[in-house]
Amino acid sequence: MIRFHVVTIFPEVFPGPLGVGVVGRAIGAGDVELHVHDLRDHTEGRHRQVDDEPFGGGAGMVLKPEPLIRALRALRETEPRLRAILLSPQGRPFDQGVARELAAEDSVLLVCGRYQGVDQRARDEIGEELSVGDYVLSGGEVAAMVVIEATARLVPGVVGSPESLGEETFSDATEGGFEAPLYTRPAEFEGRAVPAVLREGNHAAIAAWRRDERTRQTGLRRPDLIRSGPRPGGTT
């Protein structure tokens, strides 16, 4: 079981897509917990202000340090083993290796940035940052959902067929690359037939075909993923 905490100024957007499918069922069954915290609950004053203008000038607003640090410290008091993470385009790239790391944690806090950015003092207090890609989102909420979705399905019991996890794209079994092409009935559709090797029942031949196809597909589409050796943190 894993507990996810999310700090955001838009708590109403959760659970969103996390409420359906295998993750939604896991949340309903208690195998995964999702706790969403409104950053404004940690403000002072009737205006519940969470942002202010940047020192030194510049465009946009900056999330203030006080509410974020209060929220973080309050959660750390109740969750001593909490792993706190800020969703940020400047963070460590999030990938399947990081998802495996997080799936082994007891509790994970995801802090959703907004506006132009987050006060550096709050970033220092959080301590860890993750990025879901080299692009800019309006806030960290969608990124938090990506991290939760990818991580939660690796928690034991969440996916009904654990064996399928080992055959997915970016899994250890696929050596960090893409999975082989998949086919189902009918055996022939509009003149295009399922490869014969998949219909002949020779499991050794099927395994060899899938291995070759994984390498071929990865080389064609993402040659940068061809593993040249282990990388830090088990990432690819």
Side-chain angles (χ1 to χ4, degrees):
M1 196 271 286
I2 185 171
R3 285 184 300 280
F4 289 103
H5 295 272
V6 179
V7 171
T8 172
I9 62 171
F10 295 117
E12 64 273 15
V13 306
F14 291 88
L18 298 174
V20 299
V22 294
V23 176
R25 289 194 293 272
I27 292 172
D31 295 323
V32 172
E33 293 183 9
L34 176 61
H35 303 277
V36 183
H37 308 271
D38 188 344
L39 180 61
R40 297 186 191 278
D41 290 342
H42 297 274
T43 57
E44 294 179 340
R46 62 189 181 90
H47 296 296
R48 306 179 77 198
Q49 185 177 357
V50 295
D51 63 319
D52 209 332
E53 297 175 353
F55 277 113
M61 302 292 279
V62 178
L63 281 177
K64 293 166 60 66
E66 310 99 297
L68 283 168
I69 291 175
R70 288 191 197 110
L72 176 60
R73 290 177 179 173
L75 283 167
R76 279 180 170 158
E77 284 184 6
T78 60
E79 299 264 9
R81 300 180 65 179
L82 182 72
R83 182 168 174 176
I85 297 168
L86 172 67
L87 282 311
S88 162
Q90 302 172 37
R92 172 189 178 192
F94 178 72
D95 61 14
Q96 194 72 1
V98 180
R100 284 193 291 268
E101 281 182 30
L102 298 183
E105 299 284 350
D106 293 328
S107 56
V108 175
L109 165 63
L110 300 173
V111 179
C112 301
R114 272 279 159 179
Y115 308 122
Q116 192 66 20
V118 175
D119 186 286
Q120 185 63 44
R121 291 162 292 187
R123 292 173 65 178
D124 292 341
E125 184 94 7
I126 295 164
E128 182 177 357
E129 300 184 18
L130 282 179
S131 168
V132 297
D134 293 341
Y135 46 83
V136 178
L137 299 170
S138 296
E141 288 75 19
V142 172
M145 292 180 188
V146 168
V147 172
I148 294 170
E149 168 82 19
T151 301
R153 59 195 312 280
L154 299 178
V155 174
V158 171
V159 174
S161 175
E163 295 81 6
S164 66
L165 294 175
E167 299 176 359
E168 293 180 326
T169 296
F170 304 126
S171 72
D172 286 336
T174 59
E175 298 183 339
F178 295 156
E179 63 185 331
L182 300 172
Y183 296 89
T184 187
R185 294 180 179 85
E188 184 171 332
F189 176 70
E190 295 183 344
R192 291 173 288 175
V194 174
V197 64
L198 299 179
R199 295 182 278 122
E200 292 171 350
N202 184 330
H203 296 294
I206 291 171
W209 179 86
R210 285 177 171 162
R211 188 166 52 249
D212 291 343
E213 282 296 309
R214 285 197 296 265
T215 301
R216 188 178 73 84
Q217 294 285 344
T218 306
L220 285 173
R221 302 182 185 199
R222 288 286 302 277
D224 58 298
L225 292 176
I226 298 295
R227 180 169 291 176
S228 58
R231 297 185 182 181
T235 60
T236 304

